[in-house]
Amino acid sequence: MPTSIPSFSDIKRAHQRISKYIIQTPVMTSKNIDEIAGCTIFFKCENFQKVGAFKMRGAANAIFSYRPEDRVNGFACHSSGNHGQAVALAAKLAEARAYVVMPKNSSQVKIDAVKGYNAEVIFCEPNDASRTQACEDVVNRTGAILIHPFNDYNIIAGQATAAKELIEEVDDLDAIITPVGGGGLASGTSLIAHHLDPNMEVFLGEPEAVDDAYQSLKAGKIIPNTSSETIADGLKTTIGEKNFAILKDHVKEVFTVSENEIVAAMKLIWERMKIVIEPSCAVPFAAILKNKKTFNGKRVGVILTGGNVDLTKLPF
Amino acid sequence: MPTSIPSFSDIKRAHQRISKYIIQTPVMTSKNIDEIAGCTIFFKCENFQKVGAFKMRGAANAIFSYRPEDRVNGFACHSSGNHGQAVALAAKLAEARAYVVMPKNSSQVKIDAVKGYNAEVIFCEPNDASRTQACEDVVNRTGAILIHPFNDYNIIAGQATAAKELIEEVDDLDAIITPVGGGGLASGTSLIAHHLDPNMEVFLGEPEAVDDAYQSLKAGKIIPNTSSETIADGLKTTIGEKNFAILKDHVKEVFTVSENEIVAAMKLIWERMKIVIEPSCAVPFAAILKNKKTFNGKRVGVILTGGNVDLTKLPF
């Protein structure tokens, strides 16, 4: 279990550990999209992953990193989204209890999904203090191990496996780009990209409205978000310390995009590729369309992070 | 070029002929969907096909069945939907002109798509008489060869290749089900299914509102639709004579489903499988959900026919 920045071996071990619990998702391409973007894009479809998001990789790695005798009190997490479902399912597969702290204004669909994996849902007020208190309470009551959604080396090593599969499947990628929220996927991706190819360019896409990664990498220290007003609801979080420490050594550039650019990119992928993706994972593609010169003629890997959207509340 | 019901050889030749012009689309599965349905479903994803629909297979086979010297005057068709795009693209690939007769109330998206493949669009009034006249006029004017959307053995042999790929990829299918409109896909699928496995059960799914196939197979003769009021806009047509002659010998049962059942099945596939499908291709899955006893425990192939929907006008 890595207690420092995951090595190549750590990530390979993570991949072996979780392989039977995850889907090796397909890589999709589209000539039509390539013509529009002016580069050749390889989309790693984590929207087809279990629980509908890459989060399953990190959660499975974190939970299965514990020996069976250490799993007896179960696992806890806080999440209003995909991490909660991922911990719930991974715990179920490990035959362990799961406790998921969720804001009480979470959508019924998400609550039902977590409960569907037999997890206990604990509601908190929709603010940081109440959430932290609820997590403490549940850990004290149950002895469960808290699984942080991103600021955790096991999570980072697990999320890295998506890019690992992509890079192993597609030859000669010039660049790879992921969205950045807390930074679990972004830091894992940047690590494995440079383990496998030190020359690969690593880019991040981020909504303008929550541009903490952009600001932080510019300032050389973490600058928290002051807003959470973005349609890309997976990217509202400020990056974690462990994540930032990795990103600052590996990321070439963070591109920010507007809300309109996110929605337009999302619609284009739905229309042309016939797949359902979340607003969050349209952010890197929006960044490519906005920065065509940077990507012109290159072979670019894009992690499509998830497909959990409320179909009755689409932005188009 | 088959002038009678396509033989196994005709369909194999069709497959060879079109293979470099089409995508060998993936077969997708979903444990979640299987649990809901009570059977094991293999979805052949023709929503990922070129032009976003299986129609590319038939159009490519029809057009490439003609020798290059017979393609000089181009090809014509009438279509308000996917067949028009398919003929336009297949003709372009064959370096031939295409003339597509479309009702003048067609959506701009569809008109633009056809024009995007360099086809000439000829507008008609949205009724049969005007459409027939427009087709006659364009054929007289240009000498183009008219490609019927379904009542044509080349089209039938081409559409059969989707099921051929599915059956060759997935072992031991007990049953296969497609939607039925004009019957091009349905008749091709039923032929190849029984060429490859005489014991395979062939089912069709049809909207209650346009149940001509159900009525016709019951009556032993073609009973035309009296309504076109269904969200499954690919299935409004009455089946063709050539198609009916095949279906009556091969189809075990036609299941009809309500509009609400179509929308619910469509939403379930979008939500659980994260793919974009047209209402028409939700019809077979709706039929499975409605007739669980028939499919219980079986291995069932489903052709997902297309993914061309207007994202701004979704029914949920």
Side-chain angles (χ1 to χ4, degrees):
Chain A
M1 201 180 306
T3 53
S4 57
I5 292 177
S7 66
F8 192 15
S9 296
D10 290 329
I11 296 170
K12 282 192 284 192
R13 269 197 296 273
H15 206 190
Q16 287 162 0
R17 186 179 292 128
I18 68 176
S19 61
K20 65 178 164 181
Y21 306 111
I22 60 163
I23 293 168
Q24 176 153 356
T25 54
V27 176
M28 288 184 80
T29 58
S30 162
K31 281 188 189 170
N32 195 288
I33 290 280
D34 289 351
E35 279 169 21
I36 293 167
C39 57
T40 307
I41 304 182
F42 300 88
F43 292 98
K44 177 68 172 171
C45 291
E46 289 293 297
N47 52 330
F48 298 150
Q49 189 51 266
K50 283 185 186 172
V51 313
F54 74 93
K55 295 272 183 180
M56 184 61 194
R57 296 175 181 269
N61 189 48
I63 285 176
F64 283 96
S65 291
Y66 290 95
R67 294 170 305 178
E69 57 268 36
D70 295 330
R71 298 176 201 154
V72 289
N73 292 331
F75 297 91
C77 71
H78 60 80
S79 168
S80 57
N82 296 331
H83 179 60
Q85 285 188 55
V87 167
L89 176 55
K92 186 184 172 197
L93 294 171
E95 297 179 357
R97 291 286 298 153
Y99 308 91
V100 180
V101 174
M102 302 181 78
K104 65 184 189 184
N105 59 357
S106 301
S107 73
Q108 194 60 42
V109 176
K110 290 184 174 176
I111 297 166
D112 290 345
V114 170
K115 287 184 175 172
Y117 298 120
N118 300 339
E120 182 181 325
V121 174
I122 297 110
F123 292 105
C124 67
E125 299 297 322
N127 62 57
D128 283 0
S130 172
R131 191 182 64 184
T132 305
Q133 186 62 51
C135 284
E136 248 183 70
D137 289 350
V138 73
V139 167
N140 289 339
R141 171 167 66 88
T142 64
I145 297 167
L146 194 66
I147 306 286
H148 195 277
F150 50 84
N151 195 32
D152 176 312
Y153 291 127
N154 285 321
I155 292 287
I156 293 169
Q159 316 303 31
T161 62
K164 178 170 180 284
E165 289 174 12
L166 173 60
I167 297 166
E168 286 171 347
E169 181 172 336
V170 179
D171 291 336
D172 300 324
L173 283 182
D174 300 300
I176 194 162
I177 180 166
T178 77
V180 58
L185 177 72
S187 56
T189 300
S190 65
L191 282 178
I192 190 66
H194 287 160
H195 284 313
L196 290 167
D197 178 357
N199 295 318
M200 193 178 298
E201 296 176 318
V202 177
F203 297 104
L204 304 181
E206 190 171 41
E208 282 170 8
V210 292
D211 66 346
D212 61 298
Y214 173 79
Q215 297 294 347
S216 301
L217 287 172
K218 205 169 73 170
K221 61 178 185 180
I222 294 176
I223 311 284
N225 283 320
T226 50
S227 163
S228 64
E229 292 299 311
T230 175
I231 189 176
D233 55 0
L235 309 181
K236 292 176 177 180
T237 328
T238 294
I239 49 175
E241 287 175 27
K242 293 185 172 72
N243 313 98
F244 176 70
I246 295 167
L247 295 178
K248 71 178 174 47
D249 290 339
H250 289 278
V251 170
K252 184 161 184 189
E253 197 163 350
V254 182
F255 296 115
T256 61
V257 291
S258 71
E259 297 298 297
N260 284 343
E261 288 163 344
I262 297 170
V263 172
M266 176 178 168
K267 186 157 181 264
L268 207 50
I269 287 180
W270 286 49
E271 277 179 354
R272 305 303 169 102
M273 297 184 64
K274 315 297 181 192
I275 58 176
V276 171
I277 61 164
E278 299 174 359
S280 299
C281 63
V283 169
F285 180 55
I288 291 172
L289 295 180
K290 193 175 185 172
N291 298 277
K292 287 191 178 177
K293 272 192 189 163
T294 303
F295 295 96
N296 185 34
K298 291 182 179 167
R299 291 166 66 83
V300 184
V302 171
I303 314 281
L304 290 179
T305 49
N308 293 330
V309 285
D310 185 340
L311 294 175
T312 63
K313 291 178 187 162
L314 295 177
F316 35 74
Chain B
M1 201 181 302
T3 52
S4 57
I5 292 178
S7 66
F8 191 16
S9 296
D10 290 328
I11 296 170
K12 282 193 283 191
R13 270 196 297 271
H15 206 191
Q16 287 162 1
R17 185 179 292 128
I18 67 175
S19 61
K20 65 178 162 182
Y21 306 111
I22 60 163
I23 294 168
Q24 176 152 355
T25 54
V27 176
M28 290 185 78
T29 58
S30 162
K31 280 189 188 168
N32 194 288
I33 290 281
D34 288 351
E35 279 169 21
I36 293 167
C39 57
T40 307
I41 303 182
F42 300 87
F43 292 98
K44 177 68 171 171
C45 291
E46 289 292 297
N47 52 329
F48 298 150
Q49 188 52 265
K50 285 186 187 171
V51 312
F54 74 93
K55 294 272 184 181
M56 184 61 193
R57 295 174 181 270
N61 189 48
I63 285 176
F64 283 96
S65 291
Y66 288 95
R67 293 171 305 176
E69 59 268 35
D70 295 330
R71 298 177 200 153
V72 289
N73 293 329
F75 297 92
C77 70
H78 59 80
S79 168
S80 56
N82 296 329
H83 179 60
Q85 285 189 55
V87 167
L89 176 56
K92 187 184 171 197
L93 294 171
E95 298 178 356
R97 293 285 298 153
Y99 308 90
V100 180
V101 174
M102 301 181 78
K104 66 184 190 184
N105 58 358
S106 300
S107 73
Q108 195 59 42
V109 176
K110 291 186 174 176
I111 297 166
D112 291 345
V114 170
K115 287 185 175 172
Y117 298 121
N118 300 339
E120 181 181 328
V121 174
I122 296 110
F123 292 105
C124 66
E125 300 297 321
N127 62 58
D128 283 359
S130 172
R131 190 182 65 186
T132 304
Q133 187 63 50
C135 285
E136 248 183 72
D137 289 350
V138 72
V139 167
N140 288 338
R141 170 166 66 87
T142 64
I145 296 167
L146 193 66
I147 307 285
H148 193 278
F150 50 85
N151 196 32
D152 176 313
Y153 291 128
N154 286 321
I155 291 287
I156 293 169
Q159 317 303 29
T161 61
K164 178 170 178 285
E165 289 174 12
L166 173 60
I167 298 166
E168 286 172 347
E169 180 172 337
V170 179
D171 290 336
D172 299 326
L173 282 182
D174 299 300
I176 194 161
I177 180 167
T178 77
V180 59
L185 178 72
S187 56
T189 299
S190 66
L191 281 178
I192 190 65
H194 287 160
H195 283 314
L196 289 167
D197 178 357
N199 295 318
M200 193 178 298
E201 295 175 319
V202 176
F203 297 103
L204 305 180
E206 190 172 41
E208 282 169 6
V210 291
D211 66 345
D212 60 299
Y214 173 80
Q215 297 294 346
S216 301
L217 287 173
K218 206 169 71 170
K221 60 177 185 182
I222 294 178
I223 310 284
N225 283 319
T226 51
S227 163
S228 64
E229 293 300 309
T230 175
I231 189 177
D233 55 0
L235 309 181
K236 292 175 177 179
T237 329
T238 294
I239 48 175
E241 285 174 28
K242 293 185 172 72
N243 313 99
F244 175 70
I246 295 168
L247 295 176
K248 70 181 174 45
D249 289 340
H250 289 278
V251 170
K252 184 159 183 190
E253 198 164 350
V254 182
F255 296 115
T256 62
V257 291
S258 71
E259 297 297 298
N260 284 343
E261 287 162 346
I262 296 170
V263 173
M266 177 178 167
K267 186 157 180 264
L268 206 51
I269 287 180
W270 285 48
E271 277 179 353
R272 305 303 168 101
M273 297 184 65
K274 315 299 181 192
I275 58 176
V276 171
I277 61 163
E278 299 174 358
S280 299
C281 66
V283 169
F285 181 54
I288 291 171
L289 295 179
K290 193 174 184 174
N291 297 279
K292 287 191 177 175
K293 271 193 187 161
T294 302
F295 294 95
N296 185 36
K298 291 182 180 167
R299 292 165 65 83
V300 184
V302 172
I303 315 281
L304 291 178
T305 48
N308 293 329
V309 285
D310 184 340
L311 294 175
T312 63
K313 291 178 187 162
L314 296 175
F316 36 73

